[in-house]
Amino acid sequence: MTTVRQWLQQTSDLPLIECELLLGEVMVLSRAQILAYPDRAIPANALQQLQPTIEQLRAGQPFAYITGEREFWGLNFRVTADVLIPRPETELLVELVVELAPQGGNVVDLGTGSGAIAIAVKSERPDLAVTAVDKSGAALKIARHNACRLKADIAFHQQSWLQGSNAVWDIVVSNPPYIAERDPHLAALRAEPRLALVAGTDGLDAIRQIIPAASKQMHQNGYLLIEHGFDQAESVQQLMSVAGLANVHSRKDLAGINRVTLAQYAGR
Ligand SMILES: C[S@@+](CC[C@H](N)C(=O)[O-])C[C@H]1O[C@@H](n2cnc3c(N)ncnc32)[C@H](O)[C@@H]1O
C-alpha cells in the first residue's frame, strides 16, 4: 500500500504542487482533499495511471504540455508543444495595453503564440479591435481555438511581424523571441518551439525587425510595447529612440526586473 504522504515523498524531486494536482486528477479529489488526508491509500490503478506522467515530468516535459492547459490573466488557455507556455511576467504587457489603449482603438499582438496577450486584452477591453499575428500556422491554430473557447472576437493572420500589411495601429504589442542562440537557459526550455524563443546571436534580432516596422505603422500618440530579457532594456530603449519614438521608458515586472519597454509615436 502507498499512501499520499509516501507517494509525495517518492516524487519529491518534482514540483510538489504539480504532483498534488496530478494525484487529485487521478483520484478525482480536489487538491485540498488530497492535502487533508495524507494517510489515505492510493489505489493500485491510480498509481499505475500516474507512472507515465511522472516519467514525462522527470524527462523534462513541462507540466502545462502534459495537462494541455495553463492559466494566464485568470483565463484557461489550451497549450501544446506548438506554442510557448504563457508566463506570469507577460501579464505586465496586458496590464499596460489595457491602461493605455484609447477607447475603441485598434491593437495588434505580434507573435501571438497561444493567443494569450490578444485574448486577455480583449477580455478586459471588448471595445478594442484586436488583431493577432504569428509566423507559425500551428501556433495560430491553437490561438484560434483559444479565442473560440474564450469567446474573444479577434482577427488572426499568418505573417512575419507586420510584413505585407499597411494597417495603422493605436497599440503594437509583442512578446517576441528574445533569447540568444547560445544562452545556457535554452537547455531548460527544450520542449518549447525554438521559433518562440531564439532570436539571433544576442537575442535581439526579432526586436530589431519589429521596432522600425512598427514605428512606421502607428497612429499619432500610439504605443509600441515590447517584452524583453532581464538585461535587454537598455538596448531596446536605444533601438526605440533611434527609430524616432518618444517617451521611451521601461517598466518592471513583479520580480523588480525591467521587463517591458514602451514608447510613443509622436507623428511626422
Ligand atoms: C515568446 S513567444 C510569445 C507567445 C505569446 N505571445 C506569449 O506571450 O505567450 C514568440 C512568438 O513569436 C512567434 N514568431 C517568431 N518569429 C516570428 C515572426 N517573424 N513573425 C511573427 N511571429 C513570429 C513565435 O511563433 C511565437 O509564437
Side-chain angles (χ1 to χ4, degrees):
M1 184 191 84
T2 305
T3 65
V4 166
R5 190 198 310 274
Q6 286 166 338
W7 187 77
L8 290 175
Q9 272 160 5
Q10 287 163 20
T11 56
S12 61
D13 55 316
L14 296 170
L16 180 62
I17 185 164
E18 296 179 0
C19 294
E20 289 165 354
L21 288 169
L22 286 174
L23 195 52
E25 202 173 296
V26 296
M27 290 179 75
V28 201
L29 294 171
S30 69
R31 193 169 153 243
Q33 287 168 315
I34 293 284
L35 296 178
Y37 300 102
D39 295 319
R40 190 196 297 263
I42 306 176
N45 65 337
L47 284 173
Q48 234 172 15
Q49 242 181 295
L50 285 164
Q51 200 47 39
T53 314
I54 291 300
E55 277 162 24
Q56 280 177 295
L57 281 175
R58 287 208 169 107
Q61 184 74 348
F63 187 68
Y65 288 158
I66 294 172
T67 59
E69 52 188 34
R70 174 52 51 100
E71 193 187 298
F72 178 83
W73 199 261
L75 302 169
N76 192 16
F77 284 84
R78 173 160 170 68
V79 292
T80 68
D82 289 321
V83 297
L84 185 94
I85 300 164
R87 309 292 204 262
E89 57 267 29
T90 302
E91 293 190 344
L92 176 58
L93 273 180
V94 177
E95 245 173 76
L96 291 167
V97 174
V98 166
E99 178 192 319
L100 298 171
Q103 186 66 27
N106 65 358
V107 176
V108 64
D109 171 20
L110 301 181
T112 197
S114 63
I117 298 168
I119 294 170
V121 164
K122 185 72 184 179
S123 78
E124 288 298 321
R125 292 282 309 269
D127 60 293
L128 299 173
V130 180
T131 295
V133 313
D134 207 289
K135 192 175 178 176
S136 157
L140 279 175
K141 211 168 143 189
I142 301 295
R144 281 199 176 96
H145 172 92
N146 281 322
C148 182
R149 78 182 215 183
L150 294 165
K151 300 188 173 37
D153 180 14
I154 289 171
F156 290 100
H157 301 291
Q158 186 172 6
Q159 66 191 48
S160 180
W161 308 134
L162 289 166
Q163 258 174 42
S165 135
N166 46 22
V168 180
W169 304 96
D170 291 305
I171 303 274
V172 180
V173 59
S174 185
N175 173 19
Y178 54 71
I179 302 180
E181 273 159 12
R182 294 187 180 198
D183 190 315
H185 294 103
L186 282 173
L189 302 169
R190 283 190 313 268
E192 293 182 89
R194 205 175 152 82
L195 182 67
L197 298 170
V198 180
T201 51
D202 62 356
L204 289 167
D205 277 9
I207 292 175
R208 266 190 218 102
Q209 291 167 12
I210 291 170
I211 292 175
S215 53
K216 292 189 189 80
Q217 291 185 226
M218 282 156 69
H219 286 300
Q220 183 146 8
N221 297 326
Y223 285 89
L224 169 62
L225 304 98
I226 296 186
E227 179 176 321
H228 49 70
F230 72 98
D231 56 354
Q232 293 173 334
E234 215 176 298
S235 306
V236 178
Q237 286 186 11
Q238 212 173 356
L239 288 164
M240 286 185 175
S241 300
V242 167
L245 296 174
N247 301 329
V248 178
H249 62 288
S250 299
R251 295 285 293 262
K252 292 188 195 310
D253 63 16
L254 289 174
I257 292 167
N258 272 329
R259 180 59 67 191
V260 168
T261 294
L262 61 155
Q264 265 183 300
Y265 176 64
R268 288 180 183 85

